[in-house]
């Protein structure tokens, strides 16, 4: 115990985020393991889970997909609080996927959570999901460089940066998610507050039936809900 305390103090002295130093993070009702293999969950992401659980027309059952699961916080929250039959969590980083599996074993949700390794939507091939959720990377390189040292020096860059305009991952999700959703299914994304209009334009470009931009608790445009077309 003393050794762990001293190790945590040493990490804090080096500027590491508190969550990494203590190896634990709270997310909604969960207490999860966390370390530099994955991004530290933020309170804003808890709001994304709220929107999914309260989305109109999403009845009980079906499959939920979580793209870029990191430590598994979204997937596990949906498994614990939602009424899905199963949850599939996708992660391209083998190290982060290993951490997510550790958290599945820690939480032991009654709803099965499967961790699949691969990039974005590819590991969901052949599935039909009721909802696909993601907190994708959404910063540009310049925005990443401007972050606080405690973020850019310790948290995984690939979980934060997404192309020249910050929208590469978001664009790919809008382009491909509809084919993996049930009719009337939902794509739910956390977005950069500066890109609400750009995200809305992407939804129209890829012909989603409806797009909603929702504010976070601070009144900033933080979430996008895109609805696929109903069966004809």
């Amino acid at each position: 115990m003393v050794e762990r305390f001293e190790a945590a103090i040493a990490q804090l002295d080096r500027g590491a985020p508190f969550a990494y130093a203590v190896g634990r993070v709270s997310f909604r009702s969960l207490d999860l393991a966390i370390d530099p293999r994955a991004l530290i969950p933020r309170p804003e992401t808890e709001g994304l889970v709220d929107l999914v659980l309260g989305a109109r027309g999403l009845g009980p059952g079906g499959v939920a997909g979580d793209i870029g699961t990191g430590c598994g916080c979204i997937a596990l929250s949906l498994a614990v609080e939602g009424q899905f039959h199963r949850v599939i969590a996708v992660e391209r980083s083998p190290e982060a996927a290993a951490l997510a599996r550790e958290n599945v074993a820690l939480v032991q949700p009654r709803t099965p959570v499967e961790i699949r390794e691969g990039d974005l939507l590819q590991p969901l091939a052949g599935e039909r999901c009721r909802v696909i959720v993601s907190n994708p990377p959404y910063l540009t390189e310049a925005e990443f460089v401007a972050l606080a040292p405690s973020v850019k020096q310790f948290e995984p860059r690939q979980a934060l940066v997404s192309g020249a305009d910050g929208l590469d991952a978001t664009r790919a999700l809008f382009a491909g998610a509809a084919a993996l959703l049930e009719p009337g299914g939902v794509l739910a994304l956390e977005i950069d507050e500066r890109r609400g209009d750009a995200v809305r334009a992407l939804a129209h470009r890829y012909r989603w039936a409806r797009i909603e931009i929702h504010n976070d608790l601070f009144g900033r445009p933080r979430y996008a809900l895109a609805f696929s077309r109903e069966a004809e």
Side-chain angles (χ1 to χ4, degrees):
M1 182 69 72
V2 173
E3 290 180 355
R4 282 191 295 176
F5 177 77
E6 291 178 343
I9 293 299
Q11 287 193 62
L12 290 171
D13 286 343
R14 293 196 298 270
F18 180 80
Y20 286 163
V22 300
R24 279 290 189 271
V25 66
S26 294
F27 186 84
R28 296 181 66 85
S29 65
L30 305 175
D31 180 44
L32 302 174
I34 191 68
D35 59 41
R37 288 177 289 177
L39 195 71
I40 299 170
R42 267 60 173 185
E44 290 87 345
T45 305
E46 297 187 22
L48 179 64
V49 176
D50 273 331
L51 281 174
V52 171
L53 294 176
R56 289 171 291 170
L58 282 184
V63 177
D66 173 25
I67 306 302
T69 197
C71 69
C73 59
I74 293 175
L76 285 165
S77 291
L78 294 177
V80 170
E81 300 182 58
Q83 300 182 59
F84 300 101
H85 288 152
R86 59 192 176 103
V87 179
I88 302 171
V90 174
E91 176 54 55
R92 63 179 172 176
S93 162
E95 294 79 15
L99 176 61
R101 291 189 183 99
E102 292 169 20
N103 278 321
V104 172
L106 180 67
V107 174
Q108 297 184 341
R110 281 183 291 180
T111 297
V113 176
E114 179 188 357
I115 310 298
R116 297 184 183 178
E117 293 182 35
D119 191 38
L120 293 174
L121 297 167
Q122 185 276 327
L124 290 182
E127 298 286 350
R128 271 294 202 206
C129 297
R130 184 152 295 174
V131 62
I132 294 175
V133 189
S134 183
N135 177 17
Y138 52 62
L139 298 181
T140 66
E141 187 64 42
E143 290 163 350
F144 174 78
V145 170
L147 292 174
S150 61
V151 177
K152 66 183 177 183
Q153 293 178 10
F154 292 92
E155 300 198 57
R157 178 186 175 281
Q158 69 172 3
L160 293 163
V161 177
S162 189
D165 60 358
L167 290 169
D168 280 4
T170 301
R171 188 177 292 108
L173 291 168
F174 274 117
L180 300 168
L181 286 169
E182 298 176 0
V186 178
L187 172 64
L189 304 177
E190 184 169 329
I191 65 174
D192 186 279
E193 64 188 85
R194 297 160 290 192
R195 298 189 173 91
D197 290 342
V199 168
R200 188 185 298 277
L202 282 175
H204 291 309
R205 173 182 172 185
Y206 290 105
R207 301 183 181 280
W208 286 79
R210 189 168 85 254
I211 176 70
E212 298 175 357
I213 304 296
H214 294 264
N215 291 342
D216 60 21
L217 291 174
F218 303 100
R220 301 172 300 198
R222 179 65 63 190
Y223 316 109
L225 295 185
F227 296 80
S228 65
R229 300 186 182 279
E230 300 280 355
E232 296 182 358

